[in-house]
Amino acid sequence: MAEKYDILVAGEINPDLILSGDVEPAFGQAEKIVEAATLTVGSSSVIFACGAARLGLRVGFIGKCGDDFFGRFMLEEMQRRGVDVSPVMIDPRLSTGLTVILNRGEDRAMLTFPGAIGALRADEVSDDLLRRARHLHVASYFLQDALRPGLPELFRRARALGLTTSLDTNYDPAERWEGVADLLPLTDVFLPNAAEARALTGEAEVEAAARALAKAARIVAVKLGAAGAMAVQGEQVVYVPSIPVKVVDTVGAGDNFDAGFLYGFLMGWPLERALRLGTVCGALSTRAAGGVAGQPTLEEAMPYLEEPQ
């Protein structure tokens, strides 16, 4: 019998090369020295999938990668972290993408080679695969060029089969923010950060932006960085502070927030408790370099939910 997933992720597959240090690159053949270099699991979708599996959810992943070193590295790492990659399509005609991240404290700059990142099409996510899942999650909306046009229909198919849906657009490199409004009415959980929420709505205040987005999506959970997070469902508005941690690397913090929040959502938790778990998972993930090294287990995260914040 085919495995049953709590979450099916339709997403992009690429590693991150993280260069850490208080350095700003310069052209003119200027050589700068960084403090550390790490090749690690990258892509918003994969970091999320690994975080959800780390919390104990059954996670399946569909995407595309090349038959190359970066692709094999990613599939091996995903499997090692409990993500079922059997639906992944390996295409030898494609090159697996790569993101180079210059990490400087709580800020970062990113250069991405797209490669196979945008190759998955919505019609390649079959109804048979959807039937194996309770929930469908999509991230990196603006990078997934082939998936994006068919995503409304994919969400309709998923919901018709009884799945709930979630979306984390991430940043739009073109800064046009197109297409999201059509998808929000089909989205059960929308997971932007503050800057994305403001850009999508034109609202200056985060709460006003979240309320506007929640008129379409069922639940909107907005990441506020060191300030924590907020969520809106109908007329209910909830704020949760972050927890104090020694930040090593913020890469993937938002994806780990998503994993924690959706764990609570799928378990039927109250909005505030789900938001608190998301905030805790996002914060704890910053304790180590890379998006997956600091991912907490549910047992590690739960004490922060029980103690007064």
Side-chain angles (χ1 to χ4, degrees), residues 6 13 44 63 129 148 165 181 211 217 227 301:
D6 294 303
I13 300 172
S44 178
L129 183 59
R148 196 165 55 247
T165 59
R211 285 182 179 274

Side-chain angles (χ1 to χ4, degrees), residues 6 56 99 110 117 191 197 254 269 285 297:
D6 294 303
T99 295
M110 294 173 282
I117 285 174
L191 298 152
W269 288 6
S285 75
T297 63

Side-chain angles (χ1 to χ4, degrees), residues 124-144:
E124 292 174 310
V125 184
S126 69
D127 284 358
D128 285 343
L129 183 59
L130 290 171
R131 288 188 185 98
R132 294 164 58 185
R134 297 171 54 201
H135 182 89
L136 174 66
H137 179 73
V138 171
S140 295
Y141 173 82
F142 294 107
L143 296 183
Q144 297 206 63

